[in-house]
Amino acid sequence: MTPGDLPFEMDVAERAADEPALVVDVEGFEGPLDLLLVLARQQKVDLAKISILALANQYLVFIEEARKLRLELAADYLVMAAWLAYLKSRLLLPETSGPDGMSAEDMATALANRLRRLEAFRHVAEQLLVRPQLGRDIFARGQPEPIAEIKHPQYSATLYDLLSAYAVQRQKSVLGHVRFAKRTVWSLAEARIALERLLGQAADWSRLDQFLLAYMVEPALVPTVVASSFAASLEMVREGVAELHQHAAFAPIYMRRRMVVREVTSDSGATPSPRAT
Amino acid sequence: MASLAERRLTIVQNEVESMSEARPEELRLLEALLFASAEPLDETVLAARLPADTDVGDALNRLQAEYAPRGVNLVRVAGKWSFRTASDLSWLLTKDSVVTRKLSRAAIETLAIVAYHQPVTRVEIEEVRGVVASKGTLDVLLETGWVRPRGRRKTPGRPVTYGTTEAFLSHFGLERLDDLPGLDELKGSGLLDGRLPAGFAVPVPSDDPALRDDEDPLEPGDLDFGLAPPPSRVEE
Amino acid sequence: MASLAERRLTIVQNEVESMSEARPEELRLLEALLFASAEPLDETVLAARLPADTDVGDALNRLQAEYAPRGVNLVRVAGKWSFRTASDLSWLLTKDSVVTRKLSRAAIETLAIVAYHQPVTRVEIEEVRGVVASKGTLDVLLETGWVRPRGRRKTPGRPVTYGTTEAFLSHFGLERLDDLPGLDELKGSGLLDGRLPAGFAVPVPSDDPALRDDEDPLEPGDLDFGLAPPPSRVEE
């Protein structure tokens, strides 16, 4: 571990709360290393040969000056100042080994190396930034032409899907047909309504099967229409509402309103022709 | 003979060289401007960017001629210039991708009926399903390649009959169509329950390509009804 | 006899010659593909679009040579190919430049440290800079899409390691990370081996997506801070 690490590790926890304050605490320097680098450049010598002692002195003087001018300095700078003061005292004293086994010279070299490293990164950063940059110096095609995607659908279904779909439908359609058959039945009530309509419009004998033709367009309906209307007509005769007439077996059946009832229902059966009869 | 070939090669090389040597700088500038621009540029805009004495119209024509045989052409649209992929290469800018889709319930129901009852007409499918088939459903099935029009039923209206294809068998892992389970198997597997009316039957399906007695062959135009669009035209 | 042989030879030579005169179709195809694409394309993608027997590498080199003197050049960035305006024409085109974000000094330094020292943790960046990094600095870099979290260092606290992306290479027109300017010098200085004991090999920066021995993969939640670009952009 480089000695310089100490202050910064300490800072991490402290600083987390209000980081922005850190950025420009001392007139635009980006931290103590940055300040040291600037001071080092003033010595105008290679960083490898720099006098760390002189640099430490400069830094401490700078901090002292800054303190006089300002009320507060970021802790980084003060910690670095404390560390440099310690280093300075070690450098001035006869050679001893520090608590971590490093000589004062080692500590100085480590600091110099950190400065060199920061400088080196700054140097490559500059080189990187002067490269032609995309969107600044060089440009990609301004109107790229999209690749049109042609989608080929591939369908998937399992045999189980297929079989259950079939079974479900067949089962459903079986039930469906039963319901349909029910609907093909012409109920007695329906037949009666139709027959009453017939009696209402025809004064004289009307042929039943001809009248019913209109209801027998659907072949499936023929038997039920015939059966229901016959049953209904018998019922109407029984009630004394209608009369039926047939010449012979299987001959056409004729039907007419029964006259007696006419008076009873005269205001409803408003056709003039029955009166004439 | 060899010398002739050599000479011709030299000529070609010289031409190429002299062309690139003599290529005026304004063509480079135009190239870069038109390439980088997010929209087509008109001559006024281009002229404003180029050295004052440039004949922009002439330079554009030269550039256009240069790019004419290339994969990218310089085109003029509505008075503005831009680079565009050569029109004969538009196929290159397409990507085929396979999207897996699940068949809709209606489609799989229809497919099942076609499979068991083939050859079957649309009206017959509707009868079994008890629902009027949406046109899209059969279209989707035709698109899957699992269903095909077989012929026309010899009845009034001559409706198209449908059947399944080999692709159908292979997708569903069937060796032959009569590997489709029959009534007893459907009952046994619980897909059909026992309470079925007497006379309820499941047909023994057959996809024999030979037309049946009540089928006429399809006429040439029968497939062009838009029922079976070519796969490439099928959108989403 | 001899004349026949001669004649046949001539024919063959003429054919060869005319072939070399005509610009091969694959150059047109490559041109069209690379012009159309907004992103650099790699050779595999290109090869997939070209006739099977095309020597894509060779064709790309020919195309690159052809375009070298032009206003638009074929460049190789991040191992992929792309047409870009010639770098000497930036004066002509800077008016087009979308306002590029001006990076702060801190961000630029951090970017350089990530680029030249990757994979690198935040603490390592701070150690080089001698400042606690403001959280915003790394965020800005993640937002540019040039820096991405790579994994976690197998050390106590398992700090996230950062590296650069293809977008970084593409933005700075670098074919590979090795092409970083000044990299050799930096490596030679021995300054990169910061914390490593003497005698250890100098670490070479690497954006190899494969994690190093001392890196663990990121966990799913690591990218959900809204800091990092979506993985698709990272991989590109």
Side-chain angles (χ1 to χ4, degrees):
Chain A
M1 180 160 68
T2 8
D5 282 352
L6 273 166
F8 307 115
E9 283 184 2
M10 275 166 47
D11 275 359
V12 175
E14 271 176 30
R15 281 283 150 195
D18 54 357
E19 282 166 350
L22 232 161
V23 181
V24 197
D25 276 5
V26 188
E27 293 296 324
F29 291 109
E30 297 229 359
L33 273 193
D34 185 34
L35 173 54
L36 275 170
L37 257 186
V38 172
L39 294 174
R41 281 204 203 99
Q42 289 172 359
Q43 291 191 20
K44 288 177 183 154
V45 287
D46 187 339
L47 274 180
K49 296 170 192 153
I50 201 166
S51 160
I52 290 293
L53 187 58
L55 189 61
N57 273 330
Q58 272 178 292
Y59 184 92
L60 293 172
V61 168
F62 183 93
I63 294 295
E64 199 50 44
E65 292 295 315
R67 255 179 168 165
K68 281 179 195 161
L69 296 173
R70 296 169 150 259
L71 293 174
E72 214 179 319
L73 271 176
D76 296 12
Y77 294 90
L78 301 180
V79 174
M80 177 59 89
W83 187 82
L84 284 173
Y86 168 71
L87 174 63
K88 183 179 152 186
S89 67
R90 289 277 310 273
L91 285 169
L92 292 173
L93 287 171
E95 186 59 37
T96 48
S97 195
D100 50 5
M102 284 183 96
S103 72
E105 282 305 321
D106 290 343
M107 289 165 67
T109 309
L111 178 61
N113 280 343
R114 285 193 72 189
L115 292 175
R116 284 176 60 209
R117 188 172 60 181
L118 179 58
E119 196 174 51
F121 275 115
R122 286 185 175 174
H123 182 60
V124 291
E126 276 165 29
Q127 286 179 268
L128 188 63
L129 286 184
V130 298
R131 283 188 70 83
Q133 289 177 45
L134 186 66
R136 190 190 74 180
D137 309 298
I138 59 172
F139 294 85
R141 177 86 184 273
Q143 304 169 73
E145 294 168 64
I147 301 273
E149 199 175 8
I150 297 176
K151 290 183 178 165
H152 297 287
Q154 198 176 59
Y155 291 91
S156 71
T158 65
L159 187 59
Y160 177 81
D161 294 339
L162 187 77
L163 299 179
S164 65
Y166 184 68
V168 165
Q169 287 187 99
R170 288 301 308 278
Q171 199 126 14
K172 206 169 61 186
S173 74
V174 165
L175 300 173
H177 277 309
V178 171
R179 249 184 278 122
F180 188 59
K182 264 183 189 162
R183 261 186 271 116
T184 62
V185 171
W186 218 43
S187 69
L188 284 175
E190 282 172 299
R192 170 125 190 181
I193 290 166
L195 292 177
E196 279 171 354
R197 199 177 302 136
L198 167 70
L199 295 183
Q201 62 191 215
D204 210 344
W205 292 105
S206 303
R207 213 174 124 165
L208 194 57
D209 53 353
Q210 273 176 2
F211 167 73
L212 288 172
L213 267 183
Y215 301 93
M216 298 193 296
V217 174
E218 189 80 24
L221 283 176
V222 174
T224 176
V225 167
V226 170
S228 294
S229 56
F230 184 63
S233 64
L234 291 178
E235 178 74 5
M236 288 165 84
V237 170
R238 192 179 63 79
E239 288 171 10
V241 186
E243 292 174 321
L244 289 176
H245 172 75
Q246 190 178 26
H247 303 295
F250 303 114
I253 295 171
Y254 292 84
M255 188 179 186
R256 72 168 184 185
R257 179 174 12 196
R258 192 167 170 205
M259 295 313 166
V260 185
V261 186
R262 197 186 58 208
E263 283 119 43
V264 182
T265 58
S266 58
D267 19 19
S268 65
T271 41
S273 43
R275 278 175 219 264
T277 317
Chain B
M1 177 184 69
S3 67
L4 177 67
E6 254 173 36
R7 228 161 60 209
R8 286 180 63 184
L9 194 59
T10 319
I11 290 164
V12 170
Q13 281 179 338
N14 283 347
E15 268 171 14
V16 168
E17 258 167 51
S18 65
M19 262 174 71
S20 65
E21 267 171 43
R23 196 161 182 265
E25 178 72 2
E26 60 253 34
L27 295 195
R28 288 188 78 225
L29 304 183
L30 276 177
E31 233 165 15
L33 281 170
L34 290 164
F35 173 86
S37 171
E39 50 196 31
L41 298 174
D42 65 27
E43 293 182 21
T44 321
V45 171
L46 289 168
R49 297 285 192 91
L50 296 178
D53 57 344
T54 313
D55 181 343
V56 180
D58 180 61
L60 282 165
N61 288 334
R62 285 189 62 172
L63 202 61
Q64 189 172 35
E66 250 186 31
Y67 274 90
R70 296 187 165 241
V72 171
N73 302 151
L74 183 56
V75 297
R76 185 178 179 160
V77 180
K80 298 185 174 187
W81 295 83
S82 74
F83 281 116
R84 278 275 161 265
T85 305
S87 52
D88 65 315
L89 296 183
S90 56
W91 59 270
L92 195 62
L93 300 182
T94 58
K95 185 166 99 185
D96 291 341
S97 65
V98 172
V99 247
T100 310
R101 283 193 207 147
K102 221 170 138 55
L103 273 191
S104 71
R105 201 182 151 73
I108 197 145
E109 285 178 5
T110 305
L111 176 64
I113 294 163
V114 172
Y116 274 95
H117 295 256
Q118 61 188 301
V120 65
T121 68
R122 184 157 152 178
V123 169
E124 288 160 358
I125 295 168
E126 288 170 356
E127 265 168 31
V128 177
R129 292 195 64 218
V131 191
V132 174
S134 90
K135 188 170 174 312
T137 308
L138 257 175
D139 287 356
V140 165
L141 290 177
L142 291 166
E143 196 189 310
T144 60
W146 298 338
V147 165
R148 66 181 183 97
R150 291 171 45 94
R152 287 182 174 278
R153 179 70 47 78
K154 289 177 183 163
T155 55
R158 300 181 21 81
V160 171
T161 53
Y162 295 94
T164 54
T165 62
E166 279 184 26
F168 167 82
L169 294 180
S170 97
H171 182 88
F172 290 96
L174 300 166
E175 198 177 315
R176 296 188 317 271
L177 198 69
D178 51 22
D179 288 348
L180 278 174
L183 178 61
D184 292 340
E185 288 159 295
L186 287 174
K187 273 189 191 165
S189 62
L191 288 169
L192 279 177
D193 68 28
R195 303 171 291 117
L196 290 167
F200 181 91
V202 167
V204 178
S206 155
D207 56 357
D208 185 352
L211 293 178
R212 301 210 174 163
D213 290 346
D214 64 350
E215 281 179 299
D216 275 340
L218 289 169
E219 284 112 51
D222 281 346
L223 292 176
D224 296 342
F225 279 36
L227 282 178
S232 61
R233 270 179 47 216
V234 175
E235 316 278 87
E236 263 309 270
Chain C
M1 277 292 275
S3 68
L4 179 67
E6 252 176 39
R7 230 158 61 205
R8 286 178 64 184
L9 194 59
T10 318
I11 290 164
V12 169
Q13 281 184 337
N14 282 348
E15 268 171 13
V16 168
E17 218 176 285
S18 65
M19 266 173 66
S20 69
E21 270 173 49
R23 195 160 174 268
E25 178 72 1
E26 61 250 34
L27 294 196
R28 289 188 79 226
L29 302 180
L30 277 176
E31 222 162 37
L33 283 170
L34 289 163
F35 252 77
S37 173
E39 301 292 329
L41 299 175
D42 67 28
E43 291 182 22
T44 323
V45 169
L46 291 167
R49 298 296 183 79
L50 296 179
D53 57 344
T54 312
D55 182 342
V56 180
D58 181 60
L60 282 164
N61 288 332
R62 284 187 64 172
L63 202 61
Q64 188 173 37
E66 245 185 35
Y67 275 89
R70 296 188 163 238
V72 172
N73 303 152
L74 183 56
V75 298
R76 191 172 179 166
V77 287
K80 300 180 175 186
W81 296 85
S82 181
F83 276 115
R84 300 260 167 105
T85 56
S87 58
D88 66 314
L89 297 182
S90 77
W91 60 270
L92 181 71
L93 300 162
T94 35
K95 283 181 207 159
D96 288 340
S97 70
V98 275
V99 188
T100 40
R101 184 203 303 270
K102 188 116 177 80
L103 287 182
S104 69
R105 219 176 111 197
I108 290 165
E109 262 179 45
T110 305
L111 176 63
I113 295 165
V114 172
Y116 288 79
H117 207 358
Q118 62 187 297
V120 66
T121 68
R122 182 156 155 178
V123 169
E124 288 161 358
I125 296 167
E126 290 171 351
E127 193 203 303
V128 171
R129 298 193 59 230
V131 197
V132 176
S134 93
K135 190 164 173 313
T137 309
L138 258 174
D139 287 358
V140 164
L141 292 175
L142 290 166
E143 229 176 84
T144 60
W146 298 339
V147 166
R148 67 181 181 100
R150 291 172 45 95
R152 289 184 174 276
R153 179 69 50 75
K154 287 178 184 162
T155 53
R158 301 178 24 80
V160 171
T161 53
Y162 295 92
T164 53
T165 61
E166 277 192 17
F168 167 80
L169 294 178
S170 169
H171 183 88
F172 290 98
L174 299 164
E175 189 178 334
R176 295 186 314 269
L177 204 66
D178 286 351
D179 293 342
L180 278 172
L183 180 62
D184 289 341
E185 205 185 320
L186 193 62
K187 279 195 283 191
S189 70
L191 293 169
L192 282 182
D193 54 357
R195 302 181 319 158
L196 293 172
F200 245 72
V202 177
V204 175
S206 158
D207 56 357
D208 185 347
L211 295 177
R212 296 200 173 172
D213 289 346
D214 63 352
E215 283 180 297
D216 276 339
L218 290 170
E219 284 110 52
D222 284 343
L223 293 176
D224 294 346
F225 286 58
L227 293 178
S232 59
R233 267 179 62 209
V234 174
E235 320 268 312
E236 202 107 337

